[in-house]
Amino acid sequence: TLNGRRLPPASYTALGPSTLSVALAHLNGSRQQSGDNLVCHSRDGGILAGSCLYVGLPPEKPVNITCWSKNMKDLTCKWAPGTEGETFLHTNYTLKYKLRWYGRDNTCQEYHTAGPYSCHIPKDLALFTPYEIWVEASNRLGVAVSDVVMLDILDVVTTDPPSDVHVSRVGDLEDQLSVRWSSPPALKDFLFQAKYQIQYRVEDSSEWKVVDDVGNQTSCRLAGLRPGTVYFVQVRCNPFGIYGSKKAGIWSDWSNPTAASTPRSERAAGGCDPKGGEQNTTLRRELKQFFGWVKKHAYGCSNLGIKLYDQWRVWLQKSHKTRNQVGKEP
């Protein structure tokens, strides 16, 4: 029987009193971890012998190895399986690395940190010396080894998003906003350059517009905006030239979105309320008091940042640090 189903007599032949020849054709790939069960029975139904069959293909060599270092303190690598994927059999992947000209082979220990085919090396990495990195794939039918990738930690640095992103109005200019931010604090003691990108969108849209030509400035003025409109703004950083490296770095994640509104056009139609400013001031004060109370007394809200960015809108956000400690998406 194969997985409990009796095989046709034409598929096996008795070669002797204790030897049986079985020919199996058109098998599907094994879909269970324990393999496929081939069992030989006596005439009265008792089990004489059995075997586990693992039907599939040997692994193909992994491809597309890419690595990055967060603030030069660690290294994370991702790869892709061969074209046949898992080939019906469970396949183990092992990331190995060593210094190019000397040293022993090392094996990465922290897998699945950045997806199913990834591994994280948290410490004890050398700078100014290239590494050789490769991935070995193995299953019950064989072993396949990827091509070797050579890299220097300084050439694959990424960093935290820019911090302290502030968006504010430019006086009474109804079509402009000013954006300011700070360099990534984790790299402040290292010799490096940086280039930045900004993306922004209006409140009721999911389409971001990207500003590429920011360069290494830590401020930028957005122009050509719509009057009386709320905008969300994010900034990201690409460190390059660290300690003289010739290669560009890797873009960081985007910062948390920061919101602000452009001034409303004075030419807009509508009546004039001489007490409107006074009412808005009172409303803002009451909003700030209310959300301050929420932040203080509500469970889980102690790490929220609160910003009033319009006459009646409030933006609440958790810091990156808090989100990483909790280990969940915001």
Side-chain angles (χ1 to χ4, degrees):
T1 59
L2 180 64
N3 292 330
R5 298 182 63 181
R6 185 167 183 167
L7 296 175
S11 65
Y12 52 89
T13 304
L15 301 181
S18 60
T19 308
L20 193 70
S21 171
V22 183
L24 304 174
H26 307 296
L27 294 174
N28 295 319
S30 296
R31 300 187 182 279
Q32 48 192 356
Q33 188 69 25
S34 60
D36 297 300
N37 297 312
L38 180 67
V39 180
C40 180
H41 303 266
S42 62
R43 292 186 181 276
D44 60 5
I47 295 178
L48 300 177
S51 181
C52 288
L53 307 181
Y54 294 91
V55 182
L57 296 173
E60 294 189 21
K61 71 177 185 179
V63 295
N64 299 334
I65 300 175
T66 57
C67 303
W68 63 93
S69 174
K70 191 70 171 290
N71 302 323
M72 294 188 294
K73 296 179 179 180
D74 63 1
L75 189 68
T76 300
C77 294
K78 295 181 67 175
W79 60 90
T83 55
E84 295 294 337
E86 296 291 335
T87 63
F88 301 108
L89 299 177
H90 175 70
T91 302
N92 292 312
Y93 294 90
T94 305
L95 178 76
K96 294 188 176 182
Y97 62 100
K98 71 174 182 178
L99 292 171
R100 181 179 180 185
W101 292 296
Y102 56 90
R104 58 183 178 83
D105 291 2
N106 297 282
T107 301
C108 183
Q109 302 296 327
E110 298 182 9
Y111 290 89
H112 313 300
T113 54
Y117 305 107
S118 65
C119 197
H120 176 239
I121 305 169
K123 58 183 180 178
D124 300 329
L125 292 165
L127 301 178
F128 307 106
T129 304
Y131 277 93
E132 294 182 359
I133 297 174
W134 67 98
V135 177
E136 296 180 358
S138 62
N139 64 20
R140 293 177 180 270
L141 295 180
V143 177
V145 182
S146 71
D147 295 335
V148 175
V149 172
M150 284 184 290
L151 61 84
D152 192 313
I153 301 297
L154 299 180
D155 295 336
V156 292
V157 176
T158 187
T159 187
D160 300 308
S163 59
D164 301 323
V165 178
H166 297 280
V167 184
S168 57
R169 296 179 177 182
V170 183
D172 293 329
L173 295 176
E174 59 195 34
D175 67 335
Q176 298 187 23
L177 289 173
S178 174
V179 186
R180 294 180 293 106
W181 61 90
S182 300
S183 298
L187 294 180
K188 65 180 181 180
D189 296 328
F190 297 100
L191 180 63
F192 80 105
Q193 294 174 294
K195 54 184 177 182
Y196 298 95
Q197 275 186 344
I198 295 174
Q199 68 175 11
Y200 64 95
R201 65 175 175 85
V202 297
E203 184 180 29
D204 56 356
S205 172
S206 59
E207 181 180 351
W208 294 90
K209 294 184 178 180
V210 178
V211 180
D212 279 316
D213 55 352
V214 181
N216 62 357
Q217 306 175 81
T218 55
S219 65
C220 181
R221 183 177 294 188
L222 303 178
L225 307 179
R226 299 199 318 229
T229 304
V230 177
Y231 284 87
F232 290 94
V233 181
Q234 293 178 291
V235 186
R236 67 176 181 173
C237 173
N238 185 329
F240 68 95
I242 296 178
Y243 290 137
S245 170
K246 302 297 184 182
K247 294 186 178 181
I250 298 173
W251 286 106
S252 72
D253 294 333
W254 291 101
S255 64
N256 283 327
T258 302
S261 63
T262 52
R264 190 172 301 277
S265 174
E266 294 181 359
R267 295 185 296 273
C272 175
D273 182 358
K275 296 184 179 180
E278 181 180 330
Q279 291 173 348
N280 289 336
T281 301
T282 302
L283 176 59
R284 288 173 62 85
R285 183 172 63 250
E286 290 176 350
L287 274 174
K288 194 168 185 178
Q289 290 174 348
F290 170 71
F291 282 101
W293 183 91
V294 171
K295 178 179 177 180
K296 183 177 180 181
H297 296 282
Y299 175 76
C301 292
S302 58
N303 293 299
L304 284 177
I306 299 175
K307 180 181 179 183
L308 302 177
Y309 64 90
D310 205 344
Q311 294 172 355
W312 51 273
R313 292 178 174 90
V314 178
W315 178 249
L316 305 177
Q317 69 180 24
K318 276 191 174 183
S319 66
H320 278 280
K321 181 177 181 181
T322 301
R323 183 186 67 203
N324 290 341
Q325 289 172 346
V326 174
K328 297 180 179 179
E329 289 299 315

